[in-house]
Amino acid sequence: MKSYNIAVIPGDGTGPEVVVEGVKALDAAGERYGFKLDYTHFDFGGDRYLKTGEILPDSAIEELSKFDAIYLGAIGHPDVKPGVLEKGILLRMRFELDQYINLRPVKLYPGIECPLKDKGPEHIDFVVVRENTEGLYAGAGGFLKKGTADEVAVQESINTRKGVERCLRYAFEYCQKRNKEKALTLCGKTNVLTYAFDLWQRTFNEIAPDYPDIKTDYAHVDAITMWMVKNPEWFDVIVTDNMFGDIITDLGAMIQGGMGIAAGGNINPEGVSMFEPIGGSAPKYKGQNKINPLAAICAGGMMLEHLGEDEAGKMIEKSVMEVTAKHLKSLAAGKMGHTTTEVGDMVTNLVGKL
Ligand code: IPM
Ligand code: MN
């Protein structure tokens, strides 16, 4: 039987609870489709940091790089200063494992209330390909005369030809494989960021002829936020830099029903990739069996597709759609009409028999 080694990082807040539900659904998929998942748990997160002072052990990256995939709950702890764990764990893994794509599907499932008037599942189904290792996230910059009246703070956006091109090529290829509208939109800000997005646009235009079946388009990021609300049906695949991708995918999460359902993959096509619900650790719901596990379950489905278990991944998504269509009152924590465990059980049962 085929088997996969999965590193599991439950993390902080409600991360562990949603990961438990995800693992149940993954195991049911494995049973049905004839593969096995072997899990190794890592306790990286706020509690470990507060206890030991260690954020991520030096050996961690090397160790994680040997797995077939990483399944992550959430990082972020109310007793730790913002940024410490996010940068020290989440961003460090993305960077050092060179997960240069952050893949974020924005899809409205049936039965989910959409905040946009007159929009349904037929209107909201696109994917954002976010660059995941460069841009403003690279950490370039610094202070001058910090703490004085003359203080200067500089934060630079790093865009390398290699980094931009590999992201764009991934987006073109993803758009081909997705085989829906075959339309790729570059999201930038060429009217103001005349260096960074000049490089993005030039590279985009240069490589587009390599993908003659893909229609290309460009929109400024501010306009994209407008169209995502007014005409989300226009989009098939959007490709953009790290910061813009971060922002527009939170908007994307809202139009697909909220953080309870939004999943993403941090992809290194040549290395180890990491899958996560994008909503964060929601510490106020920790341990209450109220948080929505569907985003984590969907992230698990994406992980299976990435591992080549396409049918199994699609079955997880189909089961989630069945649950949203027929069994949930709301996607919000505490308002689902079911506990976290019950929602996980419903999906798991469907994965086994739907
Ligand atoms: C996300 C998150 C992270 C990001 C934070 C927690 C560092 O918002 O995954 O979108 O900005 O990338
Ligand atoms: Mn974000």
Side-chain angles (χ1 to χ4, degrees):
M1 199 196 283
K2 219 168 175 187
S3 76
Y4 302 97
N5 290 316
I6 308 296
V8 180
I9 307 175
D12 299 318
T14 52
E17 294 162 59
V18 297
V19 157
V20 164
E21 303 311 317
V23 165
K24 280 192 326 208
L26 286 166
D27 285 340
E31 214 162 283
R32 177 160 178 183
Y33 293 96
F35 59 87
K36 195 171 168 306
L37 299 164
D38 290 312
Y39 306 99
T40 305
H41 280 71
F42 294 86
D43 65 351
F44 309 139
D47 288 331
R48 177 197 167 109
Y49 170 62
L50 291 170
K51 233 184 294 157
T52 68
E54 188 172 62
I55 301 177
L56 203 62
D58 286 335
S59 56
I61 298 295
E62 157 92 41
E63 224 179 311
L64 289 171
S65 70
K66 298 194 178 108
F67 285 85
D68 293 312
I70 303 167
Y71 189 45
L72 173 69
I75 296 294
H77 195 291
D79 303 335
V80 182
K81 193 175 153 215
V84 173
L85 302 170
E86 291 86 341
K87 277 183 112 166
I89 302 177
L90 182 62
L91 297 183
R92 190 165 163 215
M93 289 193 294
R94 288 177 182 171
F95 292 170
E96 292 190 19
L97 295 168
D98 206 19
Q99 294 163 338
Y100 60 86
I101 299 297
N102 198 325
L103 193 64
R104 298 190 160 181
V106 178
K107 185 167 172 180
L108 180 62
Y109 289 147
I112 292 179
E113 204 185 320
C114 175
L116 306 181
K117 188 161 161 275
D118 300 332
K119 299 291 179 191
E122 69 276 27
H123 301 110
I124 300 176
D125 181 6
F126 60 92
V127 177
V128 177
V129 175
R130 165 185 174 188
E131 201 291 323
N132 210 29
T133 54
E134 300 192 341
L136 283 165
Y137 279 70
F143 294 111
L144 205 64
K145 303 182 185 175
K146 190 175 178 186
T148 72
D150 297 320
E151 177 162 356
V152 180
V154 178
Q155 193 94 43
E156 291 158 325
S157 175
I158 304 295
N159 299 264
T160 68
R161 169 70 198 214
K162 183 180 149 205
V164 168
E165 182 167 339
R166 67 183 181 174
C167 176
L168 290 171
R169 286 196 184 276
Y170 182 93
F172 273 106
E173 282 161 29
Y174 183 85
C175 194
Q176 283 180 325
K177 257 189 263 141
R178 175 171 154 90
N179 201 15
K180 207 178 158 237
E181 305 299 326
K182 294 215 169 172
L184 178 63
T185 305
L186 172 64
C187 163
K189 189 71 186 171
T190 51
N191 53 349
V192 175
L193 306 181
T194 51
Y195 310 123
F197 279 98
D198 186 81
L199 175 60
W200 277 84
Q201 185 148 54
R202 254 186 299 124
T203 311
F204 189 70
N205 294 343
E206 255 172 55
I207 69 173
D210 294 346
Y211 312 92
D213 53 330
I214 302 297
K215 295 183 278 293
T216 57
D217 192 13
Y218 170 83
H220 295 319
V221 63
D222 45 349
I224 286 259
T225 61
M226 199 166 75
W227 302 128
M228 276 174 69
V229 170
K230 198 161 181 295
N231 297 96
E233 65 278 7
W234 285 356
F235 298 114
D236 179 17
V237 179
I238 298 175
V239 61
T240 191
D241 83 346
N242 209 340
M243 188 80 257
F244 292 164
D246 177 50
I247 297 166
I248 68 170
T249 55
D250 267 23
L251 176 57
M254 284 303 120
I255 67 171
Q256 71 180 122
M259 287 302 185
I261 194 80
N266 302 273
I267 314 277
N268 176 345
E270 297 91 37
V272 61
S273 300
M274 174 168 76
F275 298 83
E276 56 173 340
I278 74 176
S281 61
K284 77 172 182 187
Y285 294 111
K286 181 183 163 80
Q288 297 176 25
N289 211 7
K290 281 185 181 167
I291 196 77
N292 187 340
L294 291 180
I297 293 172
C298 290
M302 289 180 74
M303 179 170 79
L304 292 184
E305 285 194 38
H306 179 79
L307 290 169
E309 298 293 344
D310 245 58
E311 262 189 299
K314 293 222 165 65
M315 181 48 67
I316 288 193
E317 186 183 36
K318 205 170 151 197
S319 304
V320 167
M321 286 164 79
E322 179 79 4
V323 168
T324 62
K326 298 192 182 144
H327 302 291
L328 291 193
K329 281 207 197 115
S330 155
L331 290 185
K335 296 184 181 148
M336 298 186 290
H338 295 278
T339 64
T340 305
T341 317
E342 284 167 357
V343 174
D345 286 342
M346 281 191 273
V347 177
T348 302
N349 285 332
L350 290 165
V351 167
K353 64 165 207 242
L354 196 67

